[in-house]
Amino acid sequence: MDMQVLRSRLDKGQWFSHLPVPLQDSLLAAARVRRLSPGQRLFKRGDPPCGLYAVLEGSVRIGAVSEQGKEALLSLVESPHWFGEICLFDGQPRTHDAFGLGHCVLLHISQTALLTLLDEQPAYWRQLALLMSQKLRLTFINLEQLSLMPTAARLAHRLLMIAEGYGEIDPPRRVLQLPQEQLASMLSLSRQTTNQILKDLQGQGIVNLKYGEIEILDAQRLRMLAII
Amino acid sequence: MDMQVLRSRLDKGQWFSHLPVPLQDSLLAAARVRRLSPGQRLFKRGDPPCGLYAVLEGSVRIGAVSEQGKEALLSLVESPHWFGEICLFDGQPRTHDAFGLGHCVLLHISQTALLTLLDEQPAYWRQLALLMSQKLRLTFINLEQLSLMPTAARLAHRLLMIAEGYGEIDPPRRVLQLPQEQLASMLSLSRQTTNQILKDLQGQGIVNLKYGEIEILDAQRLRMLAII
DNA sequence: TTCGCTCTGTCAGGCAGGCGACAATCTCCA
DNA sequence: TGGAGATTGTCGCCTGCCTGACAGAGCGAA
């Protein structure tokens, strides 16, 4: 992949585009493009740290499977998103499993490359921690909604979050390419319940459902539902 | 409070005791002791950043209230625990409310003092980020258990976590001074359900219930229940 | 085109856990 | 010592969501 294309794609993300330019350069210099075949595992829970990743094309499933085989899908990370930074700080094992979804292209910066870079420029620790603070905020929101909000509101909220790439994509997408089952496991709901709520939203003309995708027709009303 | 007493108390915590000594010194030099009267609010959601805190005596409730008035209690932070670091990194508003529980004594380092300190020693950003990575890991565990584990296991797990101060207190406490209602709202359960599970545990001789406290009799069996 | 797979739509049944209610018990302070 | 407030223990009802099941629809490969 061309260096120009790569940089322009990463510049779409809030985090990367606001980094000091020298750090951007260093990151790109240390990075290697990596491709995943459909369903290929990048890492699993308990694996040792292996560095930082950015999604360039396709998407990556971040989740975990319980002893009973139930799956909790934390999120689907997509184009200008970075992930894998927690282990950079504490050197502890991975908290989640990561799988490529379809063909996807990643940017990878190895743990050692990052640590040498940070050794030379310790001030950059702050920038990388920024990535973690965003994730912590999102996780808090998630956790709170799970216990406090009614399911329909949680679903509405999540649709909006996905549409705007959890704050990374500025003109929010209107069409979300994701099966209802995946949405369900992100919300810790059954597929059936998820379908029921979506059908209801479709009846109100707020979304439109197609095979494997959800189209947001009325983001305004969706936002109203998400607050309740 | 005496400087010696203060340091010895902070040294009980994993995070502080593993910091480089110069950073420990700088933190202490920049810190001021602050006392909260029972129920006094330290900050609320949406407040601007106000620095970093450590609990010296008593405990602090970190939580949030929904529009419907339901309360989600994130955690009760106790003696050698530090909190409030997220806003240090991103300068965004507080994510939660913080209230003193009973009389409590805190150590406070103001945002500006911290930022000047970090400006002089940017390498310390890494140490502070460590605090955040711990919190992120704990929150992930929380989130996952909420959707994947049966309620009894979640309760058992939480009791153990509280007993060992979420990894900060090494010889775990046997007696937890907390009303069942607070435990309930940490678990997103009703008080009644919580009581029912606790009673069941008491029947098995795993815990002993008293007024306003829970005594852990058999941590081993409790740990077994937490895995299921 | 046809087969197989994935995804959607929708039923009925069951139950875990929420909610309201109320009594009993404990603690603390006046 | 007594009374107020907080906490616990335990009902019963009810709802929201899960489970299982199955039909139909869309999609891609042979």
Side-chain angles (χ1 to χ4, degrees):
Chain A
M1 186 176 292
D2 184 8
M3 212 56 166
Q4 286 302 326
V5 177
L6 206 154
R7 185 181 279 268
S8 75
R9 195 153 320 180
L10 289 174
D11 268 332
K12 290 217 179 73
Q14 293 294 318
W15 180 71
F16 187 83
S17 64
H18 286 76
L19 291 181
V21 178
L23 176 52
Q24 293 184 354
D25 294 337
S26 303
L27 285 175
L28 284 180
R32 312 178 87 196
V33 172
R34 186 163 166 194
R35 287 163 201 282
L36 292 181
S37 49
Q40 188 183 341
R41 190 171 69 195
L42 188 59
F43 52 74
K44 67 171 193 296
R45 166 174 299 186
D47 278 357
C50 55
L52 189 66
Y53 296 88
V55 183
L56 296 174
E57 278 174 36
S59 52
V60 174
R61 273 181 29 204
I62 307 281
V65 182
S66 75
E67 282 76 16
Q68 288 80 27
K70 271 206 292 187
E71 190 189 8
L73 186 52
L74 185 65
S75 73
L76 284 176
V77 293
E78 292 175 305
S79 182
H81 249 283
W82 293 76
F83 64 95
E85 75 284 353
I86 312 178
C87 307
L88 175 65
F89 288 92
D90 57 13
Q92 296 293 110
R94 293 287 179 196
T95 55
H96 292 91
D97 308 325
F99 291 89
L101 202 65
H103 285 283
C104 70
V105 184
L106 305 177
L107 198 67
H108 179 214
I109 307 169
S110 78
Q111 183 90 346
T112 50
L114 262 174
L115 288 176
T116 14
L117 168 59
L118 286 162
D119 224 38
E120 290 163 14
Q121 294 287 340
Y124 291 160
W125 279 109
R126 180 182 191 175
Q127 311 298 330
L128 286 158
L130 214 50
L131 211 50
M132 203 161 48
S133 75
Q134 290 175 8
K135 230 150 274 186
L136 191 47
R137 283 181 185 270
L138 285 176
T139 313
F140 277 148
I141 292 174
N142 223 256
L143 186 59
E144 189 180 325
Q145 295 214 335
L146 195 50
S147 47
L148 291 183
M149 302 196 92
T151 51
R154 270 169 51 218
L155 188 145
H157 189 264
R158 182 61 80 125
L159 285 182
L160 290 168
M161 296 287 269
I162 296 171
E164 62 194 28
Y166 299 91
E168 287 290 292
I169 302 173
D170 191 16
R173 273 169 298 179
R174 284 173 38 83
V175 176
L176 314 181
Q177 301 259 3
L178 92 156
Q180 299 177 10
E181 181 129 36
Q182 306 233 1
L183 180 61
S185 72
M186 283 196 255
L187 294 164
S188 305
L189 291 177
S190 70
R191 180 189 62 80
Q192 293 88 326
T193 308
T194 306
N195 175 257
Q196 198 176 319
I197 300 171
L198 283 172
K199 271 295 176 188
D200 186 45
L201 292 179
Q202 189 176 37
Q204 297 178 56
I206 296 176
V207 301
N208 189 27
L209 303 176
K210 293 181 198 151
Y211 184 82
E213 67 182 44
I214 300 167
E215 182 187 2
I216 298 177
L217 298 176
D218 192 340
Q220 197 55 45
R221 272 198 287 164
L222 201 54
R223 206 162 289 121
M224 293 299 292
L225 289 175
I227 302 170
I228 299 167
Chain B
M1 184 177 292
D2 185 8
M3 211 56 167
Q4 286 301 324
V5 178
L6 205 153
R7 186 181 279 269
S8 75
R9 193 150 324 176
L10 290 174
D11 267 332
K12 291 215 179 75
Q14 292 295 319
W15 180 72
F16 187 83
S17 64
H18 286 76
L19 290 182
V21 178
L23 176 53
Q24 293 184 355
D25 294 338
S26 304
L27 286 176
L28 284 179
R32 313 179 85 195
V33 173
R34 183 158 170 199
R35 286 162 202 283
L36 291 182
S37 49
Q40 189 182 341
R41 190 173 68 196
L42 187 60
F43 52 74
K44 67 170 193 297
R45 165 173 300 187
D47 278 358
C50 56
L52 189 66
Y53 297 88
V55 182
L56 296 173
E57 279 176 35
S59 51
V60 175
R61 273 181 27 204
I62 307 281
V65 182
S66 75
E67 282 76 17
Q68 289 80 27
K70 271 207 293 186
E71 191 190 7
L73 187 52
L74 185 65
S75 73
L76 283 177
V77 293
E78 290 175 307
S79 181
H81 250 282
W82 293 76
F83 65 96
E85 75 285 354
I86 312 178
C87 306
L88 175 65
F89 287 92
D90 57 12
Q92 296 293 110
R94 293 288 180 195
T95 54
H96 292 89
D97 308 326
F99 292 89
L101 202 64
H103 285 282
C104 70
V105 184
L106 304 178
L107 197 67
H108 178 214
I109 306 169
S110 76
Q111 183 91 346
T112 50
L114 261 174
L115 288 176
T116 12
L117 169 59
L118 286 162
D119 223 40
E120 290 162 14
Q121 295 285 340
Y124 289 161
W125 278 110
R126 179 183 191 174
Q127 311 297 330
L128 286 158
L130 214 51
L131 211 49
M132 204 163 46
S133 76
Q134 289 174 9
K135 230 149 275 185
L136 191 47
R137 282 180 186 271
L138 286 176
T139 312
F140 277 149
I141 291 173
N142 224 255
L143 187 59
E144 188 179 327
Q145 295 214 336
L146 195 51
S147 48
L148 291 183
M149 301 197 91
T151 51
R154 270 169 51 216
L155 188 144
H157 189 263
R158 182 60 82 127
L159 285 182
L160 290 168
M161 295 287 268
I162 296 171
E164 61 194 28
Y166 299 92
E168 288 290 291
I169 302 173
D170 190 17
R173 274 169 297 180
R174 282 172 38 83
V175 176
L176 313 182
Q177 301 258 2
L178 92 156
Q180 299 177 10
E181 179 129 38
Q182 306 232 3
L183 180 59
S185 71
M186 283 197 255
L187 294 164
S188 307
L189 291 177
S190 70
R191 180 188 63 79
Q192 292 90 326
T193 308
T194 306
N195 175 258
Q196 196 177 321
I197 300 171
L198 283 172
K199 271 293 174 191
D200 186 47
L201 292 179
Q202 189 176 36
Q204 297 177 54
I206 296 175
V207 301
N208 189 27
L209 303 176
K210 293 181 198 152
Y211 185 84
E213 67 182 45
I214 300 167
E215 183 186 3
I216 298 176
L217 299 176
D218 191 340
Q220 197 56 45
R221 271 197 288 164
L222 202 54
R223 205 162 290 120
M224 292 299 292
L225 289 174
I227 302 170
I228 301 166

